[in-house]
Amino acid sequence: MTLDDFSLHTPITVQWGEMDAYGHVNNASYVRWGESARMAYFEAVNLYESGEYAPILGFQSIKYIAPVVYPDTVNIGTRVDEVKSDRFILLSHFFSEALGRLVAIQYHEIVVLDARSGGRVEVPNSLINSIGAFEGK
């Protein structure tokens, strides 16, 4: 897969302070970067527009493939990988410009809540339609 396989691209400028004692970016930075990509995706599909729904992260996993060091820019490609009745899964691939390759893969399971009651709801059709329109499906 390449960055072109993703509907959303989020560039991240690696900061010197993100490196750890081992001389590469600390794993916690990938979690923050993934959060930035996730929020950008929510905005792109207008998830917050109606005020009816509140997305929450139910689960995430990150596979680290190659170490990133400063200076670099990491471009994160994000798209919906799967929609289930009660959640949807985002897939993000992290590409290093300096290395010219994939450096990490993240899965984000998003549970949708009713913004008023705080209870779980099925993924609304309006969101499924917004995702489909954004991703060209």
Side-chain angles (χ1 to χ4, degrees):
M1 260 187 207
T2 69
L3 192 58
D4 292 335
D5 294 314
F6 292 86
S7 51
L8 181 75
H9 303 164
T10 306
I12 303 290
T13 302
V14 176
Q15 303 297 308
W16 171 259
E18 292 175 312
M19 294 202 309
D20 61 19
Y22 296 106
H24 57 75
V25 171
N26 185 276
N27 64 317
S29 294
Y30 291 81
V31 173
R32 284 191 304 277
W33 298 346
E35 179 181 53
S36 294
R38 188 168 57 248
M39 293 303 110
Y41 193 91
F42 291 170
E43 290 172 10
V45 298
N46 300 315
L47 185 55
Y48 296 112
E49 188 174 276
S50 72
E52 295 179 56
Y53 307 109
I56 62 166
L57 182 64
F59 173 81
Q60 68 180 329
S61 66
I62 301 175
K63 177 180 172 90
Y64 303 98
I65 298 167
V68 171
V69 300
Y70 174 90
D72 199 351
T73 297
V74 173
N75 291 293
I76 304 173
T78 302
R79 69 178 191 199
V80 167
D81 193 49
E82 184 178 2
V83 177
K84 297 183 178 186
S85 64
D86 65 340
R87 75 193 72 181
F88 62 97
I89 293 108
L90 290 175
L91 170 65
S92 293
H93 279 202
F94 298 58
F95 297 92
S96 161
E97 286 185 7
L99 297 174
R101 64 172 293 192
L102 179 68
V103 294
I105 298 171
Q106 182 175 23
Y107 287 93
H108 329 237
E109 283 194 16
I110 310 303
V111 177
V112 182
L113 303 180
D114 180 288
R116 291 176 294 260
S117 72
R120 284 176 84 149
V121 297
E122 289 193 3
V123 177
N125 285 332
S126 60
L127 177 56
I128 293 169
N129 293 337
S130 290
I131 290 168
F134 179 71
E135 301 220 5
K137 296 178 181 177

